Amino acid sequence: MGGERKVYTLAEVSQHNHAKDCWLVIEGKVYNVTKFLEDHPGGDDVLLSSTGKDATDDFEDVGHSSSARAMMDEFYVGDIDTSTIPTKNKYTPPKQPHYDQDKTSEFVVKLLQFLVPLLILGLAFGVRYYTKTPASS
């Protein structure tokens, strides 16, 4: 890793996307992992599926050990031209109306103002009905 570092575009790196020639972009660096495909603990499909893009998130999501990170140096071939990597669209949740706690309590109060009198009225009719009905012996 001496002298000038080679800078690759994503298009150049993307051409190396099969089992006989596999390059990955991780943390702004380009790695030729072809010789490591057979030895990769997760299998070669994991590495091959990460070609042609910035594989940093894929790499970080797995939680590689410090020894795995140290091994990367031997596969380093250059840097990526970051201007050739498409920007990631950050997820923005859909707009939702603001939840107003005060309005919710107003709704509950109005509901109770309607239901409590109905309950009292029903109870009064029930008591009146049972007190007027003659007991059968």
Side-chain angles (χ1 to χ4, degrees):
M1 253 181 31
E4 276 192 44
R5 295 180 178 179
K6 173 81 171 137
V7 177
Y8 297 94
T9 65
L10 186 60
E12 290 172 315
V13 175
S14 296
Q15 294 173 4
H16 305 272
N17 61 359
H18 48 86
K20 295 186 191 279
D21 187 21
C22 181
W23 289 18
L24 298 178
V25 176
I26 300 171
E27 295 178 351
K29 296 180 179 178
V30 179
Y31 299 94
N32 180 349
V33 295
T34 308
K35 293 177 183 174
F36 185 63
L37 287 176
E38 290 181 19
D39 298 328
H40 187 260
D44 61 351
D45 288 340
V46 174
L47 297 176
L48 290 168
S49 68
S50 296
T51 60
K53 65 178 183 174
D54 183 352
T56 302
D57 288 341
D58 296 343
F59 182 80
E60 294 297 335
D61 287 347
V62 174
H64 286 88
S65 65
S66 55
S67 60
R69 291 177 185 276
M71 287 176 67
M72 293 171 63
D73 288 343
E74 70 181 270
F75 302 110
Y76 175 81
V77 293
D79 293 322
I80 189 74
D81 179 357
T82 55
S83 67
T84 63
I85 297 177
T87 58
K88 294 179 185 175
N89 293 333
K90 186 179 177 185
Y91 174 75
T92 49
K95 298 284 183 195
Q96 295 182 351
H98 177 68
Y99 176 72
D100 190 358
Q101 181 68 29
D102 294 333
K103 287 189 177 182
T104 301
S105 61
E106 286 176 23
F107 172 74
V108 171
V109 168
K110 287 182 181 181
L111 186 64
L112 288 175
Q113 285 175 340
F114 177 74
L115 291 178
V116 169
L118 281 178
L119 196 67
I120 292 171
L121 190 60
L123 186 61
F125 276 115
V127 168
R128 185 173 176 198
Y129 174 76
Y130 285 111
T131 56
K132 282 191 172 187
T133 307
S136 51
S137 323

